[in-house]
Amino acid sequence: MATGGPVDVAPVETAAPAASSAAAAPAAPPSAPRDDRAPGASSLRAERLLLERATAALMRGDHAAALATLRQHAASYPNGQLAEERNVLLAQATRAAASSAPVPPAPPGSAKPGSR
């Protein structure tokens, strides 16, 4: 029985360091892609923050601020991941700014179309 114990322990001791070194090798590759994704995530976050700022300005009726922020986004991220969302917001802000712009009064003596 004494010979059975050391034989069982020896393969376990030999297998354990091999498993440890094998486990250490795969741990390195997953960290490399995370480093590659970090700048993209940071860029996406920056894009999203600009669009949120533009949306907030649009909601409070500050069309000029919304348009300025959307132009800043277009300049910083012309082909950004959120370019389509920016374009939708840009159309909404432009339409809102046009509909809220004061209509200049007609010059005196000018006839309105259809008034005759």
Side-chain angles (χ1 to χ4, degrees), residues 32-55:
R34 263 186 265 139
D35 293 340
D36 293 342
R37 282 183 255 151
S42 174
S43 175
L44 181 60
R45 181 175 186 271
E47 280 192 70
R48 184 180 53 80
L49 289 173
L50 278 173
L51 294 184
E52 286 177 0
R53 188 183 327 156
T55 301

Side-chain angles (χ1 to χ4, degrees), residues 58 63-64 67 90-104:
L58 191 57
H63 307 124
L67 289 168
L90 189 56
Q92 291 174 348
T94 302
R95 184 175 56 239
S99 67
S100 67
V103 177

Side-chain angles (χ1 to χ4, degrees), residues 78-106:
N79 299 312
Q81 295 180 42
L82 300 177
E84 188 173 339
E85 288 81 355
R86 175 193 65 225
N87 292 338
V88 169
L89 285 171
L90 189 56
Q92 291 174 348
T94 302
R95 184 175 56 239
S99 67
S100 67
V103 177

Side-chain angles (χ1 to χ4, degrees), residues 2-16:
T3 58
V7 173
D8 289 341
V9 173
V12 172
E13 289 176 20
T14 305

